[in-house]
Amino acid sequence: MYTATEPSSLGWIPSLIVFLPALGALLLALFPSKSDQAIRFFTLAITIAVFVTLAAFLIFDTGHGLTFRTDEAGMQNVYVQPWIPSFNIQYFMGMDGISFPLLALTAFVSVLAMGASWSIQKHVKAYCILFLLLETGMLGVFMALDFFLFYVFWEVMLLPMYFLIGVWGGPRREYAAIKFFLYTLLGSVLMLIAILMLYFQSDVRTLAKAQPDLVTKLSLPSEVLTEATKEGAPLHTFNIQALAAMGQHTDLFSNKEVLFDGWTIQHWAFILLFIGFAVKVPSVPVHTWLPDAHVEAPTPISMILAGVLLKMGGYGILRICYPICPLGGFDFAYGVCLVGVISMVYGAFAALAQKDFKRLVAYSSVSHMGYVVLGLGVWSAAIADGNPDLMTSSYWNQGIQGAMFQMIAHGISSAGMFFMVGVIYDRVHHRNLDQFGGLFGKMPLYAGLAIPIFFAGLGLPGLCGFIGEVFVVLAVWKFSQVLAIISAFVVILTAGYILWAIQRVYLGAEYKGPHPEALTPLNLREVSIAVPLIIFAVLFGVMPTLVLQYMDKSISLQADQLTAWAREHDEHKSEPSSVPALAQTETLPIFKFTKPTDR
Amino acid sequence: MDFGQVITQVIGDSQQSLWPAVGSGFKPEIVLCITLFVLLIAKCFTWGTRIDLAFPLTCIGLCLSVYVAEPWNYLGDGAPPRTELFTGMLVLDSFTAFFRAILLLSALLLVILTQITGVPDLSDATDFFCLVLGAIVGLCLMASANHALMIFLAVEIASIPSYVLAGLLENQRRSSEAALKYSIYGAGAAGVMLYGISLLTGVLNTAHLPSMAQELATQWPVYEADTRWVLVMGGLMLGVGLAFKLSAVPFHFWCPDVFEGSAAEIGAFLSVASKAGALALLVRVSFGFGLLNVEPMHFPTDTNSRAGMFSVTDKVPSDVSSHNPSESDSLNVTDLNHRLAPTRNFIICLISLVAMITCTFGNLAAYGQTNIKRLLAYSTIAHAGYMMMAVPPALAMATTDASGARYAIAALGMYILTYVFMNVGVFAVVALLRNSLGSEEIADYAGLIRNAPLTVICFSLMMFSLLGIPPLAGFIGKFAVFGALTDGWRSTGSPLLLGLLVVGGLNTALSVYYYLRVIKVMTFDRETDSTRPRPLSVISPLGACYVFAISVPLLAITVMAAPLHKWSLAAALQLF
């Protein structure tokens, strides 16, 4: 999506939010390493400060543009500074209806995960520093609007994550950490190649010729804009908005066939970027790092992984893949949907087969994130073939809304589920599903809080998991009824593994596993983490507009823009092909339905 | 022009080249040589051995050398014009200035490091610093070589001190073995290179690179197949010498053994300074043969009357006129460059192929290493591969898209600049740990984060930087090189450059494991019973400061990338 952006004078404050955790990490380095409790509270204070500042955007209208307006579809609170002018790299940050809910989710989950980090006992200082650096990386990814900057933030997360899994993880943590690093880096390298391809193919001059009004509103540097009006060599850019405008309004990325017949830069870039993001989502077949990483990671890091990191894949597909490479998205719509559906089915079946409680939740993430990919991929225009019914943006709009809602809902339910697994693991130090049972009797409060969270993950109506799934399945129906039926069927599988897990863990006569004496009731800290999650799970389930109102405008704008592009593309496609098609019907009268009286 | 005139001109030219009134000329090298002599003389007197004079003298010499080299003048706006020194033996342009600055900087970093680690003890210090200075003179000459004979001389001036440096650790068999291996291998490579140079000069009737290129351009169509083969063989043999200095596969065999045998400080020198000089020479040779400079050359003497001994314009080979006199007269530089296309393609293919193999081999071979210096040796080999990748796109775009080609050379410059800090830092940590642990086995680093947290954090940052993870400096270099490859592929459509890009990308993913393994051992693992006992303070405070100071640029370079990239671009400005 591309929109007109107005840099605001106080735009540096959102950037400050991004770097506040890093600043906190720097300060933490000065703390004496023995003062564990002080370090923990300081870190918690930083994460809360980030959340509160973001929340303040909603409540207060400062009158300086420092607020988040739900009635505006475009980028808000934009801040632009030149960074490396010889590559036209900008420090370009901003937020819109797609990124703001995810930013809020990141800040929210970070607070809760930090609250859950009290169970971390060794090297608390190092842990907290890495945790804060991780938060900076996550917030940065959702705010960066320059492709180079985006990539930098994307990779910045890798380093703390590697150590957080590798040092504080379970018995096979080294294997899990390196596997996580390797998978993500391979995806990132593919992404880097795509970024470079797009950058060197981009040209602000061509865009300025095609859309002279639009080009001035994309926060491009003024030197580039003055230069763009003259003739000369191509002016490359990393500006994501400008790249999206080029992808939709010029043939810069589609005017050259590469390697295969009919495949253009757009197709290749789409595939490379999609693989890079699919690793993060994660989609089958590049999901295998996830169960290992989740099982080995400590509880709070699992919450972050499932609650935030996976969302970056979906966000990347939505923010980058489709707007910049609509042609690739158009041609591969079916492939993307298939990847989503396979992930859903495979993840659900794999979850059914797990004996490890945490691994089950991890596979449920694979399954649930499949809905996100499916919802994003449901581009009905791609199968419209001239059918005006499908050439509207409404179905796709619904699909994207479903995907976005699913991301937020999954952020809450999966973080909650991992937390609930962590609570019990902290006590009995095992996660074997067959050795649980009877926890309802031993820990009634815990079970009472856990079951709603698991039901939210199940997608029970009235809880947050339901809305996203329904939106996606409804949107799929027009696109492909087979896929819609399969994805509806997955709901039964989900119910199967979640109910079975609840039955094995919480119900039953009595707990027969190891350490029964350790099953103490929840403490206040644990309750205060679980309760907000449940509140939001119920709130979003009952009042989905709470979330949808923020994203609605931005998603509609993107869907409309891409549908307009699809219509144009369709006309272009049908023009040259209409002539031979007509000739064909003339020569083959057998397919012509003519009335006998006409003779 | 009679003999007397020639003599007068040569004398005038040499005077002007040695110590020009304006510009740096040959001044930095002279300052280095003077420092070297002062060091040696100071050692002759008894008072010179009693106090530690060598270190301050060397530092002063290096700083003075940077001062007279004036890189800021050459890399800023209004750089002095490209000048040939010593009747065309050397060329002085912004590229020379850039690489001189990098070489002197790395020498300075190294000298400070050795002072902290104390590897050359007081009695050896003078010899050590003399050898380093001598090698730096050779490396500076490599960066400015403009003549085939000069290439050979420069390589030898740089190599011979390196052989001695490799054997610096007395009474250690491995060190002596390393020195012997290195010198035998080097002697062989130098011999082959000299043979190649003589073949090329024999056929082309000149050893001055631009004249050779002009000769190639005009004569290539009329050469018979045999002559062409001689030229190809000559080019390949010259390439052997370069590949040896670059430690490119298949001439890399010395590298792991020498790195393992010699002190880590020497490893730092060989992997940074030596490599930077070799890359500069690679650019000089490939652009010298593949391209004629469009800009007219300036000479230090005043030269309306100059009938330069090797200058391009008036060199009309006698036999060319017999074939097609009218054509050769009318050819301008653009046409000549067009005619050099086969030479360029040959060089592009050769470098691409070697770069791909070098990079992949280095990364694969690093997997099984248990000794940190051997692992770093293979990592160095892999990095030589990445850096070489910047040359083919530069050469491919040089005639069609000059700005793209400059970006490619600038990418190489950025890469080397970041590489200096990463690799000197890594070897510094290895040297400091060797001093306290007495071991260079990766397994003995287990759980080091508990003994020396700051150093291990800095070391991890350097490793991540070598791997090319943003926001660390290594990423900027890699990004620029990959960008140059993409640009080259886009503008020339050559699948070879796309192949290089893909190989480079995959290699980055390939190299993850072995870099992370070292970090893993240091941070995740615990000490085992077999780990050597450790002193309480593993790293001296001074050493820790050095390591910290050298890892600060790793983050700063990314933030400050704009001016650095501007300088790198300026370095490429006068090259073609």
Side-chain angles (χ1 to χ4, degrees), chain B residues 36-281:
Chain B
L36 207 155
F37 276 114
V38 171
L39 279 175
L40 286 176
I41 289 166
K43 205 191 176 187
C44 296
F45 300 102
T46 43
W47 52 263
T49 51
R50 255 180 287 137
I51 46 171
D52 185 11
L53 262 179
F55 173 66
L57 276 178
T58 315
C59 283
I60 292 169
L62 284 169
C63 292
L64 257 179
S65 183
V66 174
Y67 175 70
V68 294
E70 302 171 7
W72 43 87
N73 264 349
Y74 284 84
L75 298 176
D77 296 329
R82 186 179 158 91
T83 316
E84 278 197 347
L85 302 179
F86 300 113
T87 64
M89 285 300 209
L90 298 176
V91 60
L92 174 62
D93 54 11
S94 51
F95 188 77
T96 312
F98 183 80
F99 271 89
R100 260 184 193 161
I102 288 203
L103 289 167
L104 293 171
L105 170 74
S106 53
L108 202 59
L109 287 175
L110 174 81
V111 166
I112 297 171
L113 172 66
T114 54
Q115 193 63 18
I116 292 170
T117 59
V119 143
D121 48 27
L122 198 54
S123 61
D124 278 343
T126 308
D127 303 342
F128 176 81
F129 292 137
C130 285
L131 289 167
V132 169
L133 290 176
I136 290 289
V137 170
L139 292 168
C140 286
L141 290 178
M142 275 162 84
S144 52
N146 195 36
H147 190 278
L149 214 58
M150 211 54 230
I151 295 174
F152 177 75
L153 273 176
V155 167
E156 286 305 286
I157 295 175
S159 293
I160 290 170
S162 310
Y163 303 151
V164 186
L165 283 174
L168 190 78
L169 297 176
E170 286 165 21
N171 308 324
Q172 285 203 10
R173 294 189 60 180
R174 294 215 72 124
S175 181
S176 311
E177 185 193 321
L180 187 68
K181 259 186 195 159
Y182 194 15
S183 51
I184 290 178
Y185 214 98
V192 173
M193 181 166 75
L194 191 58
Y195 189 46
I197 288 173
S198 64
L199 286 181
L200 289 173
T201 21
V203 173
L204 299 173
N205 294 322
T206 168
H208 178 241
L209 287 185
S211 310
M212 286 170 108
Q214 190 178 16
E215 188 79 7
L216 260 178
T218 49
Q219 297 290 72
W220 183 262
V222 295
Y223 279 140
E224 287 168 18
D226 291 354
T227 324
R228 290 182 179 188
W229 272 114
V230 172
L231 284 171
V232 169
M233 291 309 292
L236 286 175
M237 287 174 171
L238 177 59
V240 169
L242 288 174
F244 163 74
K245 283 307 280 179
L246 279 167
S247 66
V249 178
F251 303 98
H252 65 284
F253 292 107
W254 61 272
C255 188
D257 290 338
V258 170
F259 276 45
E260 190 189 358
S262 56
E265 294 84 346
I266 312 302
F269 177 75
L270 291 179
S271 69
V272 173
S274 198
K275 198 137 286 181
L279 278 161
L281 184 60

Side-chain angles (χ1 to χ4, degrees), chain A residues 1-308:
Chain A
M1 186 187 61
Y2 53 87
T3 52
T5 50
E6 298 279 326
S8 62
S9 56
L10 286 172
W12 53 273
I13 289 184
S15 315
L16 185 74
I17 297 176
V18 169
F19 286 101
L20 185 65
L23 211 66
L26 216 60
L27 287 177
L28 266 188
L30 305 175
F31 275 58
S33 52
K34 294 288 170 221
S35 53
D36 285 358
Q37 207 60 15
I39 290 172
R40 284 190 189 120
F41 275 113
F42 181 76
T43 315
L44 186 65
I46 295 271
T47 55
I48 290 175
V50 170
F51 182 64
V52 167
T53 333
L54 268 173
F57 271 58
L58 298 178
I59 303 161
F60 304 111
D61 190 346
T62 51
H64 299 286
L66 241 193
T67 181
F68 188 82
R69 291 190 302 280
T70 50
D71 55 342
E72 190 175 319
M75 285 296 163
Q76 312 182 26
N77 302 312
V78 163
Y79 182 63
V80 193
Q81 281 292 313
W83 181 11
I84 310 177
S86 48
F87 277 112
N88 281 335
I89 294 171
Q90 294 167 292
Y91 176 80
F92 182 15
M93 307 277 261
M95 52 175 91
D96 70 348
I98 294 172
S99 50
F100 184 76
L102 291 168
L103 279 169
L105 178 74
T106 307
F108 178 64
V109 173
S110 296
V111 173
L112 296 186
M114 192 54 226
S117 299
W118 253 254
S119 57
I120 302 285
Q121 298 296 336
K122 68 173 184 181
H123 312 309
V124 174
K125 186 174 159 186
Y127 174 88
C128 288
I129 289 177
L130 290 169
F131 187 93
L132 289 176
L133 290 178
L134 180 68
E135 193 180 358
T136 286
M138 295 187 300
L139 292 169
V141 165
F142 290 129
M143 271 213 212
L145 292 175
D146 182 283
F147 221 158
F148 185 88
L149 189 65
F150 177 87
Y151 187 80
V152 169
F153 279 123
W154 183 270
E155 296 273 275
V156 161
M157 289 176 323
L158 269 183
L159 309 183
M161 208 53 177
Y162 172 71
F163 289 106
L164 287 170
I165 298 176
V167 177
W168 289 271
R172 286 171 73 234
R173 56 191 185 195
E174 287 161 18
Y175 170 78
I178 194 114
K179 197 171 178 181
F180 163 77
F181 201 100
L182 205 56
Y183 266 75
T184 320
L185 191 79
L186 196 63
S188 317
V189 166
L190 297 181
M191 196 158 94
L192 180 63
I193 292 178
I195 292 174
L196 289 169
M197 272 179 168
L198 291 171
Y199 170 74
F200 283 107
Q201 200 65 31
S202 67
D203 182 9
V204 182
R205 287 202 170 93
T206 314
L207 184 66
K209 273 198 204 94
Q211 300 280 325
D213 298 333
L214 178 64
V215 77
T216 53
K217 295 172 185 162
L218 299 172
S219 303
L220 288 161
S222 53
E223 311 90 73
V224 171
L225 285 177
T226 45
E227 188 70 14
T229 52
K230 301 170 199 153
E231 290 294 317
L235 277 173
H236 307 313
T237 180
F238 278 109
N239 185 315
I240 290 178
Q241 308 234 38
L243 288 174
M246 284 172 205
Q248 294 173 32
H249 290 292
T250 68
D251 61 350
L252 282 167
F253 304 145
S254 55
N255 58 4
K256 195 166 139 192
E257 292 192 351
V258 184
L259 292 184
F260 289 140
D261 196 29
W263 279 39
T264 62
I265 297 272
Q266 282 216 20
H267 292 93
W268 281 108
F270 185 88
I271 289 187
L272 292 174
L273 291 169
F274 184 76
I275 295 175
F277 294 131
V279 169
K280 208 79 170 189
V281 167
S283 295
V284 177
V286 283
H287 67 287
T288 57
W289 64 269
L290 181 92
D292 288 311
H294 267 313
V295 169
E296 301 308 325
T299 303
I301 301 310
S302 282
M303 289 168 72
I304 295 262
L305 251 178
V308 182

Side-chain angles (χ1 to χ4, degrees), chain B residues 443-447 450 521 525-534:
Chain B
D444 287 333
Y445 291 169
R450 277 171 277 282
V521 170
D525 289 1
R526 301 202 148 269
E527 290 173 66
T528 55
D529 296 338
S530 58
T531 326
R532 282 163 188 251
R534 283 185 195 143

